[in-house]
Amino acid sequence: MPGVRGPSDYSQEPPRHPCLKINAKEPFNAEPPRSALISSYVTPVDFFYKRNHGPIPVVDDIERYCVSISGLVENPKELFMKDIRMLPKYNVTATLQCAGNRRTAMSNTRKVKGVGWDVSAIGNAVWGGAKLADVLELVGISMLTSTTQSGGKHVEFVSIDKCKEENGGPYKASIPLSQATNPDADVLLAYEMNGETLNRDHGYPLRVIVPGVIGARSVKWLDSISVIAEECQGFFMQKDYKMFPPSVDWDNINWSTRRAQMDFPVQSVICSLEDVSAIKPGKIKVSGYAASGGGRGIERVDVSVDGGKTWMEASRYQKTGIPYITDDISSDKWAWVLFEVTVDVMHSTEIVAKAVDIAANVQPEKVQDIWNLRGILNTSWHRVQVLVGHSNL
C-alpha cells in the first residue's frame, strides 16, 4: 500500500496510557479500569480499549495513501484521503465492543481460548467520516442495493496490518451489501474519533465503523474495499467469532455450521464496584453501562442487592441533562446507556445487574448456559460481591 505499511515486528508501536491493563503485549491488547468507563458518556481515546491482531501499521506518506474499491462494481476507483474528505461528513456516536468482552469470567467457569478480557473491552466514541453508502455510489452502486448487476452481495474490507491467523496476510471482514448501502445503518469510513484525527491504535488514517455490530467487523487501517458475491472467506469471518453451544469442543467443532456473528446481544456491567469490594454499611451508588446491538435501545436496567431474589430499576442516561428515551431522536441509538441506582447495603451480599432492550431481549442468568469454546458474547447477569464491615476499612 503506497504511503502506509504493516510492519512485521513490534519495534514501532505507539505510546499508550499507563493505566491500561495489558492482556497481551504482542499484539497489544489492553483495556482501561472499569471505573474509567463511567466517568464520561464519550470514552476518551486514551481509555478506549485496544484490540489488535498484529503490529500497528505505520504511515510514511499520507498524500500517497489511497483505498481501492473494486470487485463486482461498474466503475472501480482509487480514493485518496482528499476524495473521502470531499464527501459529506457525518458524526455518529457509536459503541464498539469486542466480542470477547467478559471472556475471563466465562473462562473461570470452564477454560476457553482467546485473549482474556475483564469488562472493559468496550467504549463509546463520536466517529467522524464519510458514509459508506455515499462512497459506494461513486462506483455505481445506488443506495439500498442488496445485489449489484454483476452479483455482488457483500462488501469486504481488507486491512493493511499483518496477522498470524491469516498466515502473515491482512485482517479482513465483510458486511452485507444491503447494510453497506443503507444510509440509516450509519456505516462510516471514519477518519476522526472524538473530534480529532484517528490515532494509530484506532485505525489511522482510515477505518470502518459498523455500528451495532461486534468490533471485529469495524476494520482498521483500511487498504481496500471489494464488492463480492459471497461472504468474506477470511479467518475472522469463517473460523472465529461464531457462537457455538456448550456441547461443542475443539474435537467436534465444525465452523461451517454457524454464521459469522454480527449484532452483539444485550449487555450490562456494573463499573462502580470491582468483582470483590470491601465497603462500609449504608448507601452506595451502583452504576455501569448497558448496550444492545442492531440499534436496539435499552428499555430497562434492573439491579438486585440480594443475588437476584428481588430487583429495583436503575435510572438510565446518555448525555448529561437530557432524559434518555429509547427510539427518540434525542437519543443515540448506536450508543451505550449509562445507569445508576443508590441502594442500601447493610451486610455482605452479591449485587447483580441485568438489562432489557426494546425488543424485550434480556441477559441470560448463568454464564454456563452460554459457555462457548471461544469465549465470546458473555452477556450473563453481571455479579459483584460486596464485603461489609471488614477490618481493612
Side-chain angles (χ1 to χ4, degrees):
M1 157 61 65
V4 184
R5 57 190 164 86
S8 54
D9 61 44
Y10 293 91
S11 62
Q12 300 177 78
E13 294 289 281
R16 280 97 177 199
H17 198 282
C19 88
L20 294 177
K21 177 193 171 196
I22 299 172
N23 298 324
K25 192 174 181 185
E26 295 180 354
F28 189 81
N29 289 280
E31 63 187 303
R34 64 180 69 177
S35 58
L37 293 182
I38 50 172
S39 63
S40 60
Y41 171 59
V42 173
T43 309
V45 174
D46 282 349
F47 297 149
F48 208 97
Y49 75 100
K50 319 297 181 196
R51 176 69 176 114
N52 298 302
H53 295 89
I56 306 300
V58 175
V59 177
D60 293 317
D61 185 354
I62 190 63
E63 298 300 322
R64 294 178 63 212
Y65 168 75
C66 64
V67 174
S68 66
I69 308 174
S70 61
L72 301 173
V73 299
E74 294 174 21
N75 184 22
K77 279 187 183 297
E78 287 192 339
L79 296 181
F80 292 84
M81 283 304 299
K82 61 179 172 46
D83 302 318
I84 293 165
R85 287 179 178 276
M86 285 177 64
L87 292 167
K89 181 190 171 189
Y90 293 87
N91 287 313
V92 175
T93 304
T95 295
L96 288 188
Q97 179 176 207
C98 177
N101 194 28
R102 300 180 61 196
R103 178 179 283 134
T104 297
M106 185 175 280
S107 201
N108 289 341
T109 299
R110 185 171 141 209
K111 189 152 183 62
V112 301
K113 185 178 177 183
V115 175
W117 294 100
D118 188 35
V119 301
S120 302
I122 188 171
N124 189 49
V126 181
W127 308 97
K131 285 200 179 181
L132 180 57
D134 288 340
V135 172
L136 292 175
E137 279 201 317
L138 299 178
V139 295
I141 302 175
S142 302
M143 301 271 181
L144 304 176
T145 296
S146 56
T147 308
T148 65
Q149 285 187 331
S150 44
K153 293 183 179 179
H154 299 265
V155 179
E156 180 180 65
F157 311 112
V158 179
S159 178
I160 295 159
D161 66 343
K162 296 181 169 72
C163 41
K164 68 179 190 302
E165 294 89 346
E166 295 284 6
N167 299 313
Y171 186 100
K172 49 190 168 183
S174 67
I175 63 172
L177 182 64
S178 56
Q179 182 178 13
T181 59
N182 181 356
D184 291 338
D186 288 331
V187 180
L188 293 183
L189 298 191
Y191 44 80
E192 287 183 3
M193 180 180 183
N194 295 348
E196 299 178 352
T197 300
L198 284 173
N199 73 11
R200 286 179 59 206
D201 260 327
H202 294 292
Y204 177 75
L206 193 68
R207 71 170 300 168
V208 182
I209 294 293
V210 188
V213 167
I214 64 168
R217 313 309 175 209
S218 288
V219 174
K220 295 183 281 189
W221 313 295
L222 190 61
D223 176 36
S224 63
I225 297 171
S226 184
V227 177
I228 54 180
E230 303 292 334
E231 184 179 81
C232 168
Q233 294 301 299
F235 178 90
F236 297 100
M237 290 292 289
Q238 301 304 324
K239 295 199 171 179
D240 203 353
Y241 300 121
K242 292 184 176 185
M243 182 72 158
F244 285 88
S247 57
V248 172
D249 59 32
W250 293 107
D251 294 324
N252 64 10
I253 189 168
N254 181 350
W255 287 101
S256 66
T257 62
R258 290 289 177 272
R259 65 187 288 276
Q261 186 64 39
M262 299 303 279
D263 289 9
F264 52 82
V266 64
Q267 171 79 286
S268 71
V269 164
I270 296 166
C271 295
S272 57
L273 296 163
E274 297 301 316
D275 287 343
V276 180
S277 300
I279 65 168
K280 296 175 181 175
K283 292 186 183 299
I284 63 165
K285 186 166 78 171
V286 178
S287 52
Y289 66 77
S292 192
R296 292 178 291 276
I298 299 298
E299 182 65 22
R300 205 174 75 233
V301 179
D302 300 327
V303 173
S304 171
V305 294
D306 55 16
K309 296 187 184 78
T310 61
W311 301 89
M312 64 196 78
E313 188 173 344
S315 62
R316 296 158 295 140
Y317 63 97
Q318 285 184 328
K319 291 156 282 197
T320 306
I322 301 174
Y324 172 72
I325 304 167
T326 55
D327 284 353
D328 190 81
I329 195 167
S330 66
S331 300
D332 295 323
K333 71 175 183 175
W334 304 116
W336 65 12
V337 173
L338 302 181
F339 69 85
E340 63 179 37
V341 63
T342 300
V343 299
D344 281 313
V345 178
M346 305 310 294
H347 55 80
S348 299
T349 188
E350 182 180 66
I351 299 179
V352 187
K354 64 177 172 70
V356 183
D357 70 16
I358 57 169
N361 296 309
V362 66
Q363 293 173 249
E365 179 179 352
K366 297 174 183 172
V367 66
Q368 292 90 337
D369 295 339
I370 53 170
W371 183 94
N372 60 92
L373 75 176
R374 274 292 281 117
I376 67 167
L377 306 183
N378 180 8
T379 57
S380 58
W381 294 1
H382 190 234
R383 304 166 183 269
V384 297
Q385 309 294 322
V386 291
L387 307 176
V388 173
H390 280 235
S391 57
N392 63 334
L393 292 170

